Amino acid sequence: MGFCAHSQKKTELALDKEGIKIYLTKFDTTAFREYKAVMTVHANIDTIVKQLIDVKSLQKWNFKNRHSELVKKVSDTSWIFYIVHHLGWPIQERDNVSRVTLINKGNERIITITPDNRLLKEKEGRVRLTNFKGFWYLKRIDAKQTLVIQQVYGDPGGMIPAFMVNMVVTKGPFDSFKALRRHVENLNKK
């Protein structure tokens, strides 16, 4: 399920905590690492998918998501999202315009995320993320359990040194996965 165009160097388990595993991959051609986060959630696959494609829901669980909005509905399975990430002083806010596409395959759902910067101009005071790619992979284990995997490679742009990004590359996915699990499991109980 790898997709990064960089030549792969080494993948290692970087974090295994609270039922969440995060793997990091180093590449020969870039200093930034790709992550893959994995967990099993006690929630129906459709409940999780709804939260992943509901742009307003992202603010409830996505790490450092200050603002998210729907730019355009392309079809019933494809959308353009605008997302702002507030990383805290002294780092400038980051934003991205993403094409989000849902693919249904039996007991599996794949949601791809790619840059799509044609519809919105860059905003002053924010660094636009343009070099990223990712996906969510969900597999129904049974009616009440789902395997959830997210894999993302991204260059944060601007003046953040790669070593600083790589020092915290597990925090974002770990915090997001914990919050997503709590959010969808609570929704599933209703």
Side-chain angles (χ1 to χ4, degrees):
M1 291 198 337
F3 60 82
C4 195
H6 304 285
S7 62
Q8 191 170 338
K9 197 171 188 181
K10 181 181 178 188
T11 299
E12 61 185 32
L13 178 63
L15 181 71
D16 185 353
K17 185 173 158 184
E18 298 180 41
I20 299 167
K21 292 183 179 181
I22 300 176
Y23 300 86
L24 298 179
T25 301
K26 295 180 185 179
F27 300 99
D28 293 331
T29 53
T30 179
F32 296 104
R33 296 182 185 176
E34 177 180 80
Y35 74 81
K36 178 169 81 172
V38 180
M39 70 176 170
T40 299
V41 179
H42 297 286
N44 180 286
I45 192 170
D46 295 323
T47 300
I48 300 167
V49 169
K50 281 182 184 177
Q51 297 310 300
L52 297 178
I53 62 173
D54 176 4
V55 71
K56 292 295 182 187
S57 170
L58 298 178
Q59 295 173 51
K60 296 175 183 174
W61 57 266
N62 195 19
F63 183 71
K64 301 290 186 178
N65 184 318
R66 170 171 270 182
H67 174 80
S68 50
E69 67 183 71
L70 178 65
V71 175
K72 181 179 179 181
K73 179 179 178 179
V74 178
S75 71
D76 287 341
T77 58
S78 185
W79 308 266
I80 307 294
F81 289 178
Y82 175 69
I83 300 172
V84 178
H85 302 278
H86 178 71
L87 303 174
W89 187 87
I91 300 171
Q92 272 186 295
E93 284 187 333
R94 278 11 190 201
D95 68 0
N96 68 72
V97 182
S98 302
R99 179 175 293 266
V100 177
T101 303
L102 171 63
I103 302 162
N104 288 305
K105 289 184 168 186
N107 287 330
E108 301 173 327
R109 307 290 182 269
I110 300 165
I111 300 169
T112 60
I113 306 160
T114 55
D116 192 335
N117 289 299
R118 297 168 294 156
L119 296 177
L120 288 180
K121 292 181 181 179
E122 292 187 28
K123 306 206 181 208
E124 192 173 325
R126 292 185 179 145
V127 175
R128 174 68 47 94
L129 303 178
T130 59
N131 184 9
F132 64 90
K133 193 170 188 179
F135 65 83
W136 290 90
Y137 171 81
L138 295 95
K139 184 172 183 175
R140 180 181 291 119
I141 297 170
D142 59 37
K144 295 183 180 182
Q145 283 193 92
T146 304
L147 171 68
V148 179
I149 298 173
Q150 183 192 41
Q151 187 167 324
V152 173
Y153 167 80
D155 179 335
M159 302 300 294
I160 304 175
F163 80 89
M164 286 180 68
V165 173
N166 291 334
M167 284 173 34
V168 297
V169 73
T170 58
K171 181 173 178 40
F174 178 74
D175 288 356
S176 290
F177 265 50
K178 269 184 28 176
L180 175 63
R181 180 173 55 201
R182 184 171 46 250
H183 180 66
V184 296
E185 286 179 354
N186 285 337
L187 286 173
N188 221 50
K189 289 177 186 175
K190 293 180 181 179

